[in-house]
Amino acid sequence: MSEYQIDSKNSLFYLHSPPATEDMPTFVFVNALTGSTDHWEAVVAPGLREQGFGTLSYNFRGQDKSRFDEQLELTNALIVDDLVSLIEALRPSRPVLVGLSIGGL
């Protein structure tokens, strides 16, 4: 299990598989509020990895396996800031964002 530690009360669970070669992009999957990495990892992400693409799926604060300080409000800005921070930390190759619902926002 991979966990990106934001601070002592907040973390993001993620699954990251680099592409087969550096010139291939990494698809970064952004959930709906009621989603999880399970939605992406069932069919879509494995199919992309079979084609040599990289994948990165993660859960928002408070979603399965991601910790969330309940004193914070889960806002669009917080979700975006967390995604930017995760991408900066992991530096996936040529990221392509893919999202559903609020993840498409």
Side-chain angles (χ1 to χ4, degrees):
M1 178 172 109
S2 297
E3 182 179 46
Y4 174 66
Q5 194 70 37
I6 298 168
D7 59 36
S8 64
K9 294 183 180 180
N10 297 276
S11 67
L12 303 175
F13 169 78
Y14 71 91
L15 301 168
H16 180 219
S17 296
T21 61
E22 288 183 26
D23 62 327
M24 298 287 284
T26 298
F27 288 87
V28 179
F29 300 111
V30 186
N31 298 331
L33 281 178
T34 58
S36 75
T37 56
D38 293 342
H39 293 107
W40 304 107
E41 294 296 326
V43 175
V44 175
L48 288 167
R49 289 191 294 266
E50 287 175 9
Q51 300 298 312
F53 294 102
T55 60
L56 170 58
S57 58
Y58 76 103
N59 290 337
F60 297 154
R61 297 186 203 202
Q63 290 181 330
D64 189 34
K65 301 177 190 162
S66 290
R67 292 183 297 117
F68 181 55
D69 180 357
E70 293 183 15
Q71 301 298 319
L72 293 175
E73 182 180 351
L74 186 64
T75 63
N76 291 347
L78 184 64
I79 291 169
V80 170
D81 289 347
D82 286 351
L83 174 59
V84 169
S85 183
L86 181 64
I87 288 174
E88 287 176 347
L90 298 179
R91 303 186 57 80
S93 174
R94 300 180 56 208
V96 175
L97 297 178
V98 181
L100 290 173
S101 188
I102 196 167
L105 184 64

